[in-house]
Amino acid sequence: SSSSRHDALRDKRTRILSRGLPKQKPIEGVKQVVVLASGKGGVGKSTTAVNIALALAANDSTKEVGILDADIYGPSIPKMMNLKGNPELTPKNLMRPLKNYGIACMSMGFLVEETAPVVWRGLMVMSAVEKLLRQVDWGQLDYLVIDMPPGTGDVQLSVSQNIPIAGAVIISTPQDVALLDAHKGAEMFRKVHVPVLGLIQNMSVFQCPKCKHETHIFGADGVRDLAKALGLDVLG
């Protein structure tokens, strides 16, 4: 029948497309990977990543948690985690993460000068991401939170296709432009078969420090509306 021919053709196409994809290989010592993503920059993704990592550790003191800053061009985790310095190397030539507040952290920011711009082409960026994924001695981690760069480009695809990911969390502000990009981000994860755990709305409200009046400067329900359209949960 035409429907069985269509199914056979679709399966064949899927097999051909998947031939070129890298085989997913877990990060040694890491049990669960959660990625934090946003389509647009400047929506508070790194802040949320830090808060989620600290919350996971505070929620259960028996769990070991780490953060990987995959934003090569604009690493902000070192500043947020109050960390400076260069990682030590193990005898196996793996980088040891720096640690603060009980969280193991690895970032491109530890490998370049704080004020130095990273002026790299795509291949160099991909090589750096590969090193951050595969050449770090995480010890034993229950959770690794990966702070992704904004957008839906090479880094996001490479991370999603190289390692098994338990789920993605998408951060957005309620503005229309941010929501458009967040929508693209959610669709990208669906295409690479990464479950989207839900959306987080950031910068929802401004409270006047004097009179305590609350103003929704970017609109009130943008992320809630997007989550409804995508059939996803609003996490906070």
Side-chain angles (χ1 to χ4, degrees):
S1 72
S2 64
S3 71
S4 62
R5 274 204 309 274
H6 174 75
D7 290 346
L9 191 65
R10 192 187 61 207
D11 291 345
K12 187 179 179 185
R13 192 180 292 134
T14 305
R15 281 200 306 277
I16 290 167
L17 285 170
S18 65
R19 266 183 216 155
L21 294 177
K23 287 277 182 284
Q24 283 192 337
K25 185 178 157 206
I27 300 172
E28 200 170 323
V30 176
K31 287 182 187 168
Q32 305 271 9
V33 174
V34 178
V35 298
L36 272 283
S38 71
K40 193 173 178 299
V43 296
K45 180 175 42 59
S46 299
T47 308
T48 311
V50 166
N51 278 306
I52 285 177
L54 290 166
L56 284 167
N59 192 46
D60 186 343
S61 58
T62 65
K63 302 293 187 199
E64 292 293 329
V65 183
I67 288 189
L68 173 59
D69 186 355
D71 194 344
I72 302 298
Y73 291 116
S76 46
I77 294 295
K79 180 81 173 167
M80 291 185 181
M81 291 297 288
N82 196 23
L83 283 167
K84 273 185 180 176
N86 302 113
E88 293 176 1
L89 290 178
T90 69
K92 289 184 177 176
N93 227 24
L94 298 174
M95 294 180 284
R96 277 207 183 96
L98 277 63
K99 210 163 184 179
N100 201 9
Y101 314 119
I103 309 288
C105 302
M106 192 61 214
S107 169
M108 194 67 203
F110 300 144
L111 308 176
V112 295
E113 288 294 319
E114 195 174 359
T115 54
V118 177
V119 188
W120 285 358
R121 289 186 182 273
L123 282 172
M124 292 168 78
V125 171
M126 297 319 297
S127 170
V129 169
E130 182 69 18
K131 282 186 172 62
L132 290 174
L133 284 176
R134 301 289 177 205
Q135 293 183 21
V136 177
D137 178 10
W138 290 105
Q140 295 298 314
L141 288 186
D142 294 283
Y143 301 106
L144 178 63
V145 177
I146 300 185
D147 179 22
M148 294 278 228
T152 53
D154 286 352
V155 173
Q156 289 83 348
L157 286 170
S158 183
V159 171
S160 303
Q161 290 169 350
N162 271 287
I163 58 171
I165 294 169
V169 176
I170 293 173
I171 323 295
S172 181
T173 54
Q175 296 139 299
D176 290 346
V177 173
L179 292 165
L180 276 173
D181 290 346
H183 194 155
K184 286 179 197 165
E187 292 300 341
M188 184 209 77
F189 284 119
R190 281 183 171 165
K191 279 191 173 159
V192 293
H193 309 297
V194 170
V196 179
L197 303 175
L199 278 67
I200 290 177
Q201 178 165 295
N202 196 24
M203 304 180 200
S204 299
V205 66
F206 169 75
Q207 188 185 65
C208 173
K210 286 186 178 172
C211 71
K212 306 299 179 201
H213 175 73
E214 292 189 345
T215 309
H216 293 274
I217 48 177
F218 299 139
D221 291 317
V223 171
R224 194 168 277 111
D225 295 342
L226 176 62
K228 205 172 184 180
L230 293 169
L232 293 169
D233 293 329
V234 176
L235 302 177

